Amino acid sequence: IVAPLFFGGVFVVLWAVSESVVRETWRDKFIPFDLLANRHLFHSRVGEAILRGMAYGLAVFAFLQIVIAVLSFIIPVHNVLLNENLLQIFTSANPAVQLLSHALWQDFFVVASIFMLVFSLLFQRLRQKTFVYLISVIPLSLFIGAKTTPLYLGLFIESAVLLLLVRVFHKRDLLTTMTALYVFVVFDIGFAFHTSGSPSLLHSWNVLLIVFAVLIVLAIYAVLTRDSEVDFENITPVFVRHITERQRMKQELLIARNVQMSFLPSEKPKIKGLDIASRCEPALEVGGDYFDFIELDENRLGVAIGDVSGKGSRAAFYMTLVKGFLRALAGVSDSPAGILVEMNRLFFETAERDTFISMVYGVFNQQEKTLTLARSGHNPVLMKRSQSDRLEVVKTEGLALGLEKGPVFRKVMQEVTLPVKSGDLFVFYTDGITEALNRKQEEFGEERLNETVHEVSRKTAEEVLNHIFERVKKFQGRALQHDDMTMVVVKIV
């Protein structure tokens, strides 16, 4: 009583998971099944799938018999190695019915667990499709087992057969695959009925032929019958629409991520006296982190870092606007505050009201040995003087871009000019660093960041950057990264 319930429950769960994976990988593989589920029994797609599957199944069976016949001239080869399941079929009161039901169970279980689940998952993750085929055949061979002796040769022969069936699943729909596997299993075992010499088994062989003949007639009738109009979208299960929506969002996130990364600097600027390191580590969900370097002349470098509110392609789109505004205005004004004021005006006129950008823009002047910067609602800049043991947090007043039209923004905007010396360290970062969470939902926080910067302030910019990211990753542990982590480190040399 318990065993059928247990295996039945396992099969239902396995089929549900496998169906979701297959529908996400190949949308059209379930169309004939969806037609059957919606009582379109004699639709041409159903008939074609059954006829095509029977043809494939018979072709694979014929291939097996030809291989065995050829090898028999070299080494004694015998098909149908009896095991407990086969003995149960051969000795039952009605071998034909027993074989048909056994093949049906094996068909559904093998297709659900290996063809559908294993092959589809491998197909999603491996680029080399040859490996997908070979790896999928291994569990199939172990599950079905060889019915040919000697055993090593049987495993090799049936692996080749299974490889052909995997190919059918890859190229055709699910009903075709299941029909092909079903026909192959029935004929592979049932052919022994024909060669046994037993009257009861020979009768069972004739029953099998009659069953498949009827199935062929019904399939031909379905192909020849005029189809009623069917909207395949309407007969698709509701949960598939959620898969489609998830795929659409996944594609949108991929596009947004590509846009975001393509607009970030690919090379370090070469300004004499500045050691620079930068990194943006994207989260699973696309944000709008942004940083840029603007070489104003051989002695001046503009450094910008910002974070666009929101997620997805919209955030990436606004990031491209920010980059364009900044590069257009940086050559017009020498004042970071003035540039941010003008950027706010342009952004306010362009963006939607629920969108804003936090940003820091600073200009390193190596001739005058100064850093002039302004901040628009962004994280402060960390500064470690070479002659001091104290870490300074540079906070200037300012609103985020896009929150206000201009008068208030201009009034509160503050600009500061700091003298710089050799050995001074400056760290620009986004809130993805300080708000990184571990599994206990604890934030990395500003205090840990300040301590980390203080510990490594005497190292190179690249070493400081790497150490901070390593410390954050160690703090996160196995927790998922929920926001982009971006940082620019500048050291005066």
Side-chain angles (χ1 to χ4, degrees):
I1 294 173
V2 175
L5 291 176
F6 174 76
F7 285 109
V10 169
F11 173 75
V12 169
V13 173
L14 181 62
W15 182 273
V17 173
S18 302
E19 182 177 351
S20 298
V21 174
V22 173
R23 287 188 185 270
E24 186 174 354
T25 311
W26 297 285
R27 190 173 180 181
D28 296 335
K29 282 200 181 294
F30 269 87
I31 287 180
F33 262 106
D34 292 338
L35 288 167
L36 290 173
N38 286 271
R39 298 187 297 278
H40 297 283
L41 304 181
F42 294 104
H43 193 278
S44 61
R45 290 285 291 266
V46 175
E48 290 171 1
I50 293 175
L51 290 176
R52 192 181 293 115
M54 295 187 73
Y56 282 132
L58 290 172
V60 173
F61 171 71
F63 168 78
L64 175 63
Q65 297 305 315
I66 291 171
V67 170
I68 292 174
V70 171
L71 290 175
S72 297
F73 289 103
I74 305 172
I75 185 173
V77 179
H78 302 284
N79 196 22
V80 188
L81 178 64
L82 291 180
N83 56 33
E84 184 178 348
N85 288 330
L86 296 182
L87 284 173
Q88 188 177 2
I89 293 171
F90 278 71
T91 58
S92 65
N94 197 328
V97 175
Q98 186 75 17
L99 175 56
L100 290 172
S101 60
H102 167 79
L104 187 63
W105 163 250
Q106 190 177 62
D107 189 12
F108 270 93
F109 198 85
V110 170
V111 168
S113 61
I114 299 172
F115 279 103
M116 290 172 63
L117 186 59
V118 175
F119 185 83
S120 299
L121 288 174
L122 290 172
F123 190 86
Q124 288 179 1
R125 288 160 174 77
L126 297 180
R127 293 184 179 181
Q128 182 54 258
K129 302 311 174 191
T130 304
F131 292 151
V132 176
Y133 278 62
L134 295 176
I135 296 173
S136 299
V137 165
I138 294 173
L140 273 170
S141 301
L142 295 175
F143 180 83
I144 294 177
K147 294 185 291 297
T148 306
T149 56
L151 186 60
Y152 70 91
L153 193 60
L155 287 173
F156 175 78
I157 294 173
E158 298 204 9
S159 293
V161 168
L162 293 170
L163 201 62
L164 295 175
L165 292 170
V166 170
R167 177 72 175 177
V168 173
F169 175 74
H170 182 199
K171 295 298 181 181
R172 299 297 180 182
D173 59 74
L174 188 63
L175 183 58
T176 299
T177 305
M178 295 189 68
T179 304
L181 180 61
Y182 188 69
V183 169
F184 169 73
V185 171
V186 170
F187 272 78
D188 186 32
I189 300 174
F191 190 63
F193 294 174
H194 177 68
T195 58
S196 65
S198 168
S200 62
L201 292 179
L202 185 60
H203 173 73
S204 296
W205 172 250
N206 293 331
V207 171
L208 295 178
L209 294 179
I210 293 171
V211 169
F212 283 113
V214 171
L215 189 60
I216 291 173
V217 171
L218 293 175
I220 293 174
Y221 174 76
V223 172
L224 298 178
T225 302
R226 183 177 180 181
D227 294 335
S228 57
E229 290 189 16
V230 177
D231 186 349
F232 294 140
E233 293 292 334
N234 289 336
I235 66 172
T236 302
V238 176
F239 78 90
V240 179
R241 298 170 194 168
H242 298 300
I243 294 176
T244 304
E245 180 65 16
R246 186 168 71 247
Q247 289 175 324
R248 185 193 65 78
M249 292 178 64
K250 187 176 180 180
Q251 183 65 23
E252 180 182 322
L253 290 175
L254 178 61
I255 293 171
R257 172 60 63 218
N258 291 337
V259 170
Q260 181 183 12
M261 300 310 294
S262 66
F263 277 90
L264 299 179
S266 57
E267 296 181 355
K268 296 179 183 179
K270 296 178 175 61
I271 299 292
K272 187 177 180 180
L274 295 181
D275 179 20
I276 302 169
S278 59
R279 185 184 301 177
C280 177
E281 288 201 359
L284 294 177
E285 187 175 6
V286 176
D289 274 18
Y290 161 74
F291 74 91
D292 202 0
F293 303 115
I294 303 173
E295 297 186 45
L296 301 170
D297 56 43
E298 61 182 8
N299 294 311
R300 293 188 303 146
L301 175 68
V303 177
I305 189 167
D307 189 358
V308 183
S309 65
K311 303 288 184 182
S313 56
R314 190 174 77 159
F317 168 74
Y318 284 128
M319 190 191 74
T320 63
L321 283 181
V322 172
K323 181 182 178 74
F325 291 159
L326 178 60
R327 289 197 164 258
L329 295 170
V332 177
S333 173
D334 293 331
S335 169
I339 291 173
L340 290 178
V341 168
E342 190 61 22
M343 285 182 65
N344 177 71
R345 182 185 68 82
L346 294 172
F347 190 77
F348 190 88
E349 293 174 356
T350 306
E352 298 177 7
R353 293 285 70 82
D354 61 343
T355 304
F356 61 90
I357 301 173
S358 65
M359 190 172 186
V360 172
Y361 178 57
V363 176
F364 288 90
N365 190 323
Q366 285 299 90
Q367 187 172 2
E368 299 180 2
K369 296 297 180 182
T370 60
L371 166 61
T372 303
L373 62 82
R375 187 171 68 105
S376 292
H378 195 75
N379 301 86
V381 177
L382 302 181
M383 178 176 66
K384 176 64 171 63
R385 297 287 191 184
S386 60
Q387 303 299 323
S388 173
D389 291 332
R390 187 169 59 89
L391 185 73
E392 299 179 46
V393 179
V394 183
K395 291 184 178 180
T396 59
E397 297 297 325
L399 293 175
L401 303 175
L403 288 180
E404 195 272 333
K405 186 174 183 179
V408 177
F409 187 94
R410 183 186 298 272
K411 184 177 180 180
V412 301
M413 178 57 60
Q414 182 183 5
E415 181 178 286
V416 63
T417 299
L418 304 168
V420 299
K421 294 181 181 180
S422 178
D424 290 352
L425 179 72
F426 298 89
V427 178
F428 302 74
Y429 64 95
T430 61
D431 58 11
I433 301 288
T434 54
E435 294 178 3
L437 299 173
N438 60 18
R439 287 198 166 185
K440 297 179 181 179
Q441 297 300 299
E442 297 171 335
E443 289 188 353
F444 184 72
E446 295 180 358
E447 186 176 343
R448 286 189 180 90
L449 176 59
N450 295 348
E451 291 175 358
T452 306
V453 173
H454 192 276
E455 290 172 1
V456 293
S457 60
R458 296 188 180 279
K459 296 186 178 182
T460 65
E462 192 69 34
E463 289 173 333
V464 171
L465 184 77
N466 291 336
H467 187 81
I468 293 172
F469 272 89
E470 288 172 6
R471 182 80 178 270
V472 173
K473 292 293 184 181
K474 185 176 180 180
F475 173 81
Q476 282 183 302
R478 295 185 178 182
L480 293 177
Q481 181 183 336
H482 68 90
D483 197 5
D484 294 352
M485 295 193 298
T486 306
M487 179 172 287
V488 175
V489 178
V490 181
K491 189 164 191 176
I492 312 299
V493 295

